[in-house]
């Protein structure tokens, strides 16, 4: 026995049990398959739920949600460009490590030759520097200290 989900021309859905697929086809041809609700013999196999693409297809929505975690190529290219710009900029900049806050102040107050420096600063140091009117910018991408490069 096999069971088919059937649907009449009035949209009633019901199950029909048949000996085989051929059995179903034969009975249907002879008008023996009728809707139990309205008696209509205009019966066909009901579309199976998974095969029916619904509006706002849930599976494609799931795919879109997943794709939301992936960076669009333009954004990835832009980040790549920024990373390149950063490493270009840092080539002419001196790594001062943990002395960054101290060195930044020395440059700001004219106590040493101005030059581009980069190094480490705590959030607290960074806030103090900014409050003192010293222009600092966060490094967007992780930079290894030169003595960590080997
Ligand atoms: Zn019906």
């Amino acid at each position: 026995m096999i069971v088919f989900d059937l649907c009449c021309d009035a949209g009633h859905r019901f199950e029909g049990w048949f000996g085989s697929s051929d059995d179903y086809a034969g009975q249907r041809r002879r008008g023996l398959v009728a809707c139990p609700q309205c008696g209509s013999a205009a019966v066909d196999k009901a579309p199976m739920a998974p095969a029916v693409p619904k509006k706002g297809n849930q599976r494609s929505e799931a795919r879109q949600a997943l794709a939301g975690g992936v960076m669009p190529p333009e954004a990835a290219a832009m980040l790549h460009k920024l990373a390149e710009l950063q490493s270009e900029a840092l080539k002419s900049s001196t790594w001062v490590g943990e002395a960054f806050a101290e060195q930044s102040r020395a440059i700001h107050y004219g106590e040493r030759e101005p030059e581009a420096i980069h190094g480490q600063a705590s959030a607290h140091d960074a806030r103090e520097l900014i409050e003192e009117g010293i222009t600092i910018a966060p490094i967007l991408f992780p930079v290894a200290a030169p003595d960590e490069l080997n």
Side-chain angles (χ1 to χ4, degrees), residues 19-128:
S20 68
S21 199
D22 284 346
D23 188 22
Y24 158 75
Q27 288 194 38
R28 179 169 170 266
R29 209 162 35 237
R30 295 197 298 274
L32 298 175
V33 183
C35 170
Q37 286 186 62
C38 67
S40 169
V43 164
D44 209 344
K45 283 186 205 171
M48 301 301 266
V52 182
K54 286 183 220 150
K55 279 191 179 154
N57 189 309
Q58 289 176 355
R59 278 202 299 183
S60 83
E61 272 169 23
R63 264 200 303 277
Q64 280 168 8
L66 281 177
V70 176
M71 199 175 284
E74 316 86 69
M78 201 166 82
L79 273 184
H80 184 73
K81 187 75 193 160
L82 279 173
E84 277 182 350
L85 284 173
Q86 174 179 294
S87 66
E88 263 318 295
L90 293 186
K91 270 183 197 167
S92 55
S93 174
T94 306
W95 173 259
V96 294
E98 288 176 5
F100 179 75
E102 184 192 323
Q103 295 293 317
S104 297
R105 281 197 182 88
I107 292 170
H108 183 72
Y109 296 112
E111 291 161 13
R112 61 164 278 183
E113 287 298 306
E115 64 167 322
I117 57 170
H118 63 289
Q120 297 161 326
S122 66
H124 175 79
D125 283 339
R127 202 161 40 239
E128 280 191 350

